[in-house]
Structures are given as C-alpha cells and as structure tokens.
Amino acid sequence: MTTLDVSAVRTRFTGQVVAPGDDGYDGARAIFYGGLDPKPAVVIHPSDPAEVAGVIALARETGLELSVRCGGHSVAGHSVVDGGIVLDLRHLRAIAIDVEERTVWAQAGLTAGDVTKAVAEHGLAIGFGDTGTVGIGGITTGGGVGYLSRKHGLTIDNVLAAEVVTADGQILEVDADHHPDLFWAIRGGGGNFGVVTRFKYRLHELPGVVGGMILLPATPEVVHGFLQEAAAGPEELSVIVNVMPAPPMPFIPADVQGSLVVLGLVCYAGPADEGEKALAPIRALAEPLADFVRPIAYPEMFMEAEGDEEYHPTATARTLFADELDLARVTEVIERLRTAPAPMRVTQFRPLGGAISRVPADATAYAHRGRAFMVNVASFLDGPDTRPEREQWVRDTAAVVANGGPGAYVNFVADASAEWAREAYPGATWERLVQVKRQYDPDNLFRHNVNIPPEG
C-alpha cells in the first residue's frame, strides 16, 4: 500500500478528481442505501475509456482497493470503497440511437431512466429494472429483471455488444464473435471481469403501455390470486407484488395507512384494450384501495422511483427464488408481516417465466432461467441495535418462502459473502466464470462486488 498523492493524480486525468476536503466530496461518495459511510481516498470521473484504463493502472500501482460506480444503487454498498479509489462512470453519458436498426449504443454513466426516455422519443424501448435512477452498468452486468422481462427478456438478453476495459488496461469491443467468453461473462457475472464503458442494446417497438400502481387489501386470497393471475397471464404482463404496510400517502385513507396492503406495480407492454382485459382478473380480486393503472408512455413507469436525493433507506434484506407459492405459504408470510418487529417491512414477489425462461440456462451468466418467482424479503432498521432482530426475521421469513432449490439474483444480494456468490452463480456457471476470471483478472483487481475469485 502507498499513500496517494492526490495532486499528482489530478495531473494524470482531464476528468474530475474529487478528494477529501474538496467541495462535492460528500456528494461524490454518497450512495443510495443508508447505514454506510465510506470515505474513499479519491473519486475519479474519467472522461473516456482511455482514462478508465488510467484509473485501473493507478489502482494497480498504489495497491489501493478499487470500486466502480455507475448509479450507486449496490445493495451491498459496492459502489464506493472506504479508503480506496472510486472509478465513477457518471460523466460517460454519450448515447447513439439507430432508429432504423433499432439499436442504441449507451455509455455506462447513463441511468435506466436516461436511456428509457431517449429511446422512447422514437417509440422504442429496452427493458432495464423498475427504478429510473439505477446506472445501466450495474443493472445490465447483473442481469436486469424488470417491467419488460416476460415479454422481451432480461436486459442482458438484449445486449448485442459492449466495450470493456480489462484489468491490464486493454479496451476491448466484445460480442458473440469477439472475446465470446468475456461477452458471456459480463451478461450476468457482474463487475468481476472489467469495466464496461458502453453497451449496444437491441431495441423493441413500444408506443406505450398500460401500467402504474394498484393498491389492494392484503388478504392471503388476494396475494395468492394476484400472483397466480400474473404468472398465468400473457407475457406482455409483468408485475411486482409488494406486501407491506400502507405508506402515509395522500391518496391512501388514513384508516388504511400502516395496515398491510398489496402495492402492485403492473406493466402491460401491448395495446391498451388488451391490457385492460389482462388486468381485469387482478382488479376483480378485491375492490382496489387505489388504482392508478392506465395507458401511459413507458418512461412513466419510472416516475414513482425518481425519489428524493436525501432518501437513503437502511434495511436488511434477502433475495431468493421460489418455484411454487401456494396459499399456505402466502398465508404464513402475511402473518409474519403482520407481527413483524419493524414498523416498515416488505415481502416482494415477482412472477418470472415468459421470454426469460426461453433463453438456454448456459447462454449467459444468469443461471436461474427456469425459476418461477423471484422473492425479496426486507426489514428496515431503526438503528444499528435493531439489526440482529431484523436480520433474524428476514431469514425466518425467507425460509417460509424458499422452495425449489437455492438461488440468488446478484443485483439484489445484500452482502459480499462467498455463500451468496455461489447461490447467484451455481454449478457449471460458477466454474465457467472462474475460468474467465483467471483469464481477464487473475489478480482479482475487480473484487469489490459479489466476487468470483480467480482461485475459485
């Protein structure tokens, strides 16, 4: 380890360099989730891929730990490293849309909302997740489960090529014919293999969607019915079913606030009349407490997620997959939610299938193609002393839901333990990723992530 000479660093880069004591340092090191207070030695915003390679070289020279930041939404806090070097891509924001070819090259400093809005001006779309402020780099390399997944696949299923800066400073353009193993690995393997500075995505025609939020009472029959109707519905329909206390929002009656509700986010990627038919069985489950589902432009799906910059939630969470969610399991989860120790807690269900499941399991590094549901259990903290209690509640609730074998979605993994890495990348996927890691990052320079060590 060496002491970093920040003055010398500033002379090496034309991009912005932010260090302790500089105006903007606290903003540069802030991340979305609370409970973490990393203080990096320096935050560098490279101006081009060559400067990305320069930051990587600096990390190798100094021995300081390196983290790569796009949107700062890493649940485990991987976006910023304490005492190390943050390679912040947020100034790489070029975008080039080919309307005729239906493709877009987008640099990794852009957010999901940025790209979604830009391509929507041409009646086109690429599915990312469900939050507009996430960086496209993180969500893409981790997989990309979102509002268009059942219709058009994961984000990685629509990546045609990428520009990657490797640990030895090479700037590579990768696709199915050029560095195919690296191209395979960055589609689901996270940031283990290099810094992706831009992606080429396939776009889909999407003039509009039927989407928005619907609020229903959280009875076991309603929750189970919502999941079954959504899973059996047309592939154009993707939903996120959150079972949680009703938040204190103006449109929610005062006597409902704080009681358990189903906060459903729905998106039908097709004609409005067909969307209304697909949603009718869900609306028939119970009288909605609120219903904002309507024909909208696709970027509006992200508007609710464009949150307050001062909002930094602190929670403990677990991500898993389930192959069956029967009424008994749903009933037990709801009872656990009713009696949970935390004022704010949530169990989130995402029906999968459709286009996700039609991609062969070994086609990308996302290895969970056959799973029926993704589930996330979270409990918010009131302070550090509440963590052990809340973590136990999360573990016990997740155990109620889990069935069909282990598994984890890397973008929702909340800590960096080896156990989680193996659940995210099981079996043959892990072995192949280790081989690619040995080739492109044998010294494990890119380790501030859900790590795949080169020694396996």
Side-chain angles (χ1 to χ4, degrees):
M1 298 287 289
T2 61
T3 301
L4 191 66
D5 184 344
V6 175
S7 297
V9 171
R10 295 189 200 277
T11 66
R12 290 178 61 166
F13 299 98
T14 60
Q16 184 183 22
V17 175
V18 185
D22 290 349
D23 290 342
Y25 175 72
D26 285 340
R29 68 187 183 91
I31 54 180
F32 178 75
Y33 292 100
L36 300 167
D37 190 27
K39 294 181 173 64
V42 67
V43 179
I44 305 174
H45 298 81
S47 60
D48 56 31
E51 288 206 337
V52 170
V55 179
I56 292 171
L58 178 66
R60 298 185 72 95
E61 293 164 16
T62 61
L64 293 175
E65 191 167 1
L66 177 70
S67 69
V68 181
R69 175 190 175 123
C70 298
H73 278 254
S74 166
V75 182
H78 291 143
S79 307
V80 179
V81 59
D82 193 53
I85 298 169
V86 178
L87 196 170
D88 193 323
L89 297 170
R90 283 181 288 178
H91 290 186
L92 300 183
R93 297 181 52 80
I95 186 168
I97 304 167
D98 189 324
V99 177
E100 201 168 296
E101 188 185 56
R102 291 189 184 173
T103 60
V104 58
W105 274 105
Q107 284 192 312
L110 294 160
T111 66
D114 293 332
V115 178
T116 298
K117 291 171 186 173
V119 300
E121 293 179 7
H122 306 281
L124 301 171
I126 165 68
F128 291 107
D130 54 78
T131 304
T133 52
V134 300
I136 65 170
I139 194 167
T140 301
T141 56
V145 177
Y147 292 128
L148 300 181
S149 294
R150 280 167 47 87
K151 176 63 175 175
H152 296 303
L154 305 177
T155 307
I156 54 174
D157 300 332
N158 297 283
V159 173
L160 301 173
E163 180 181 76
V164 185
V165 186
T166 57
D168 60 1
Q170 294 186 76
I171 302 172
L172 304 178
E173 189 165 308
V174 305
D175 56 28
D177 298 317
H178 303 87
H179 310 283
D181 280 349
L182 181 57
F183 183 56
W184 173 85
I186 64 168
R187 290 177 294 150
N192 275 282
F193 312 97
V195 180
V196 183
T197 49
R198 62 175 184 151
F199 299 89
K200 184 180 183 180
Y201 297 106
R202 178 190 301 110
L203 300 176
H204 302 275
E205 188 174 352
L206 188 64
V209 301
V210 178
M213 185 191 77
I214 184 169
L215 204 69
L216 299 170
T219 67
E221 292 75 18
V222 167
V223 175
H224 180 254
F226 201 143
L227 295 174
Q228 296 306 305
E229 293 292 350
E235 293 179 358
E236 287 80 2
L237 179 63
S238 289
V239 308
I240 302 172
V241 178
N242 299 289
V243 187
M244 59 188 288
M249 294 179 172
F251 58 84
I252 300 177
D255 60 340
V256 175
Q257 294 178 15
S259 62
L260 282 189
V261 296
V262 179
L263 194 157
L265 300 172
V266 308
C267 179
Y268 184 89
D273 57 342
E274 295 178 11
E276 294 297 334
K277 291 177 184 176
L279 290 166
I282 293 171
R283 286 186 166 118
L285 292 168
E287 182 68 27
L289 301 168
D291 187 348
F292 297 104
V293 180
R294 67 198 191 284
I296 57 174
Y298 180 59
E300 292 182 61
M301 288 297 306
F302 292 132
M303 289 185 64
E304 295 296 329
E306 304 275 352
D308 186 346
E309 291 184 1
E310 299 303 315
Y311 177 60
H312 299 288
T314 304
T316 179
R318 181 157 188 161
T319 177
L320 61 141
F321 293 93
D323 291 343
E324 183 181 352
L325 291 174
D326 57 21
L327 184 58
R329 282 192 178 90
V330 170
T331 300
E332 189 171 350
V333 169
I334 290 176
E335 183 57 29
R336 291 192 58 80
L337 284 163
R338 289 193 193 282
T339 59
M344 181 52 69
R345 61 278 185 194
V346 60
T347 299
Q348 179 189 88
F349 303 97
R350 298 177 183 235
L352 303 175
I356 302 172
S357 62
R358 287 197 296 275
V359 176
D362 61 355
T364 68
Y366 175 89
H368 312 287
R369 297 289 180 173
R371 305 310 296 269
F373 298 93
M374 180 185 293
V375 185
N376 300 297
V377 181
S379 178
F380 288 70
L381 308 183
D382 301 323
D385 57 322
T386 63
R387 181 176 289 276
E389 173 191 64
R390 308 293 162 80
E391 286 181 343
Q392 188 63 52
W393 180 87
V394 167
R395 283 195 297 269
D396 293 344
T397 304
V400 171
V401 182
N403 66 86
Y409 174 46
V410 68
N411 279 345
F412 290 159
V413 167
D415 67 58
S417 69
E419 171 196 357
W420 284 112
R422 293 305 298 266
E423 290 204 12
Y425 306 117
T429 298
W430 174 264
E431 300 303 328
R432 185 175 177 185
L433 287 168
V434 169
Q435 292 299 321
V436 179
K437 181 75 169 181
R438 287 174 183 164
Q439 180 178 354
Y440 289 96
D441 186 20
D443 299 323
N444 205 12
L445 179 71
F446 302 113
R447 61 186 178 272
H448 205 63
N449 46 40
V450 179
N451 194 235
I452 301 161
E455 67 274 12

